[in-house]
Amino acid sequence: MKKQALISAIVVSALLAVASFVTAQEVQSLRGTPVDEQNVVEDVFQQDKQRFGRNYRQQPPLVPHSIDQYQIDLKANQCLRCHDWSTAGERNAPTLSMTHYLDRDGNQLDRVAGTRWFCNQCHVPQADAPALVDNTFEASSGSN
């Protein structure tokens, strides 16, 4: 009886291993690359001619270049190649605000805090596009 149960357990384990292997081979990311493969992107930096000013106090700066090909996910953040405090000087790029290196309790970190990891939550590429709706917004005094 014990021998038969052991054989059954081995057969079931083998079938589950084969099924999970086949399933893993079929999974694709939204980018069309295998899920376990690193998405390598060439350096696509190209700054626009003029940076837009800010319209209110503490407005996150607009990104003065395209980020279409930038990888920003749980594994990688391509923005940090230029804007992290450790590389900004040599890349001649603005350094992130020190607030990006504070954890929830206000402790200073050497790496970007997880709450600030996804840059495009707050920062968007600037675009000189027509307004989609009428807008009477006026910039606050002292901005720009």
Side-chain angles (χ1 to χ4, degrees):
M1 184 74 166
K2 287 184 179 180
K3 187 175 183 180
Q4 187 178 10
L6 180 61
I7 292 172
S8 296
I10 292 172
V11 169
V12 169
S13 296
L15 289 174
L16 288 174
V18 169
S20 65
F21 176 76
V22 169
T23 303
Q25 296 299 320
E26 296 171 3
V27 175
Q28 292 287 317
S29 74
L30 294 176
R31 291 175 278 177
T33 59
V35 175
D36 59 347
E37 184 177 305
Q38 180 76 17
N39 185 23
V40 179
V41 178
E42 61 191 58
D43 195 1
V44 293
F45 175 78
Q46 181 177 358
Q47 183 170 327
D48 293 345
K49 293 177 182 144
Q50 180 183 3
R51 291 185 182 185
F52 291 167
R54 300 185 200 187
N55 293 311
Y56 57 90
R57 228 175 82 147
Q58 296 188 2
Q59 173 187 350
L62 296 173
V63 180
H65 56 80
S66 172
I67 60 169
D68 289 344
Q69 301 292 318
Y70 278 35
Q71 179 179 355
I72 305 172
D73 56 33
L74 291 175
K75 293 182 179 181
N77 181 330
Q78 195 168 355
C79 301
L80 298 178
R81 287 189 352 186
C82 296
H83 297 285
D84 188 44
W85 69 270
S86 61
T87 57
E90 64 193 43
R91 298 298 300 258
N92 199 25
T95 306
L96 298 176
S97 164
M98 292 314 292
T99 60
H100 289 60
Y101 298 94
L102 297 176
D103 67 11
R104 293 176 190 218
D105 299 322
N107 299 316
Q108 189 74 45
L109 307 171
D110 281 340
R111 65 189 187 298
V112 173
T115 55
R116 301 291 186 112
W117 183 257
F118 295 98
C119 306
N120 51 358
Q121 274 183 196
C122 301
H123 303 277
V124 295
Q126 65 187 25
D128 191 12
L132 298 176
V133 295
D134 287 338
N135 187 348
T136 60
F137 175 82
E138 292 182 24
S140 62
S141 63
S143 63
N144 292 354

